[in-house]
Amino acid sequence: MFRQLRTRFGGPLAMAIVTLLGIWLIVMVTLPQLQMIEYSLRPNLLPAQIGGPDDRLTLANYATLFNNDIHRTIFFKTIWSSVLVTLLTLAVSYPLAWYLAKVATPRQAALCILLLIIPFWINEILRTYSWFIILAFRGPLNEVLMMLGLIDRPIRFLSGNGGVMVGMVYAYILFMVFPVYNAIESLDDNQVRAARDLGAGTVRTHRRIVIPHAKPGIATGCIMTFMLAAGSYAVPALLGSPGSRWFTQIIYNWFFEGGNWNQGAAYAFLLLVLCIGFMSLVMKVFKVGLGDIGK
């Protein structure tokens, strides 16, 4: 990276950029994570007890998750639900990315991208509230469905995980569309035409030509979407029901309602390890490296 920066900006400026980046990574990423790990290995003590004989390293905060059936269930449900959100987002984003990259004219693509970006000029909480209104028991969606005669009575869309799934797919669709779009856009059109000339149908062309080429973009989109979904708090808090709690809500409760920062740090670190593990798994499945994703 330094060599590329030096070629583009010159030695002194490249050194300054690398130095600032290193400082930012140390101060804003590394040190907070180390502090969180240190917190997670300490018991929750009164201020007068800190530094005393009871203030020792322990794994008790981590054991709490595996000893608490409710928290353990929510943890694994969050993993599964985040994977489902990732797959749904990919299913919605892939056709859209293909259309933008290879079907739409430059004017149509620009208009479509603008329409995708404009809603994200609004705060995420306000966008989530808009879905809360749409999916409400007496909301516009139920009114339209009853007006069309498709349902006899309103449906409680917000009583389970359905509303959370819809809200998350909408909230993170850009993080899937753009990496996949960038990967597909670099595909040579002659490869697609050659596949069709040789008799390959649409499904086979995408399976054998487009998807293998777009693997780095798909992997990047899946990683970003999963990490955002697993770490989301606003969407499940606003669109979920008491029976559809997210693991981040438990972490929030430990920090800001229970006042147990040590337990919250342990849960947060476990969630971080989960995201890193998912990222490694995706990279292995798609057979891509960090360099491929960085492109």
Side-chain angles (χ1 to χ4, degrees), residues 131-146 151-159:
W131 277 107
F132 180 84
I133 294 172
I134 293 172
L135 299 175
F137 187 69
R138 293 293 182 181
L141 180 59
N142 272 317
E143 294 295 333
V144 170
L145 292 176
M146 288 192 295
I151 58 175
D152 297 327
R153 60 180 63 86
I155 300 174
R156 295 188 180 277
F157 293 107
L158 300 176
S159 63

Side-chain angles (χ1 to χ4, degrees), residues 4-270:
Q4 295 174 343
L5 291 173
R6 185 175 59 184
T7 302
R8 184 172 182 179
F9 300 108
L13 183 57
M15 180 60 71
I17 294 174
V18 172
T19 302
L20 291 174
L21 179 61
I23 294 173
W24 183 84
L25 288 174
I26 293 173
V27 175
M28 302 299 293
V29 179
T30 306
L31 292 181
Q33 297 301 329
L34 292 176
Q35 182 70 32
M36 181 178 68
I37 295 173
E38 199 272 339
Y39 262 71
S40 70
L41 295 174
R42 298 284 182 181
N44 184 37
L45 301 174
L46 296 173
Q49 295 176 302
I50 297 177
D54 294 330
D55 189 6
R56 60 184 185 275
L57 298 180
T58 176
L59 295 176
N61 293 322
Y62 293 94
T64 300
L65 174 64
F66 302 100
N67 294 330
N68 190 312
D69 293 338
I70 296 177
H71 289 183
R72 187 174 62 251
T73 300
I74 294 175
F75 178 73
F76 288 112
K77 191 212 75 169
T78 299
I79 298 175
W80 161 245
S81 298
S82 299
V83 171
L84 183 58
V85 168
T86 302
L87 295 177
L88 290 174
T89 307
L90 177 60
V92 173
S93 301
Y94 182 84
L96 181 57
W98 168 258
Y99 171 79
L100 292 174
K102 297 300 180 183
V103 178
T105 64
R107 185 183 181 88
Q108 292 172 336
L111 177 60
C112 188
I113 291 174
L114 182 63
L115 292 175
L116 283 171
I117 293 176
I118 285 177
F120 288 81
W121 294 353
I122 304 173
N123 183 274
E124 180 183 357
I125 294 179
L126 295 179
R127 286 186 279 112
T128 305
Y129 262 122
S130 69
W131 277 107
F132 180 84
I133 294 172
I134 293 172
L135 299 175
F137 187 69
R138 293 293 182 181
L141 180 59
N142 272 317
E143 294 295 333
V144 170
L145 292 176
M146 288 192 295
M147 183 178 62
L148 295 175
L150 299 178
I151 58 175
D152 297 327
R153 60 180 63 86
I155 300 174
R156 295 188 180 277
F157 293 107
L158 300 176
S159 63
N161 293 320
V164 177
M165 296 293 169
V166 172
M168 285 196 175
V169 170
Y170 174 75
Y172 308 130
I173 188 171
L174 289 186
F175 296 95
M176 182 71 76
V177 168
F178 285 149
V180 178
Y181 163 74
N182 289 333
I184 295 178
E185 191 180 32
S186 63
L187 176 64
D188 188 353
D189 293 340
N190 291 324
Q191 296 186 44
V192 178
R193 284 194 289 267
R196 290 174 177 171
D197 291 342
L198 292 173
T202 300
V203 175
R204 191 172 186 182
T205 299
H206 281 271
R207 181 169 58 87
R208 299 293 297 273
I209 304 296
V210 182
I211 293 178
H213 180 83
K215 283 195 302 182
I218 295 174
T220 303
C222 289
I223 290 171
M224 294 177 66
T225 303
F226 176 86
M227 295 181 71
L228 289 169
S232 176
Y233 174 79
V235 176
L238 295 176
L239 298 180
S241 61
S244 59
R245 296 183 68 194
W246 220 251
F247 194 64
T248 47
Q249 294 174 275
I250 298 177
I251 297 175
Y252 177 90
N253 291 339
W254 281 123
F255 275 108
F256 300 104
E257 295 183 8
N260 192 340
W261 284 37
N262 305 90
Q263 188 67 67
Y267 277 28
F269 183 68
L270 287 172

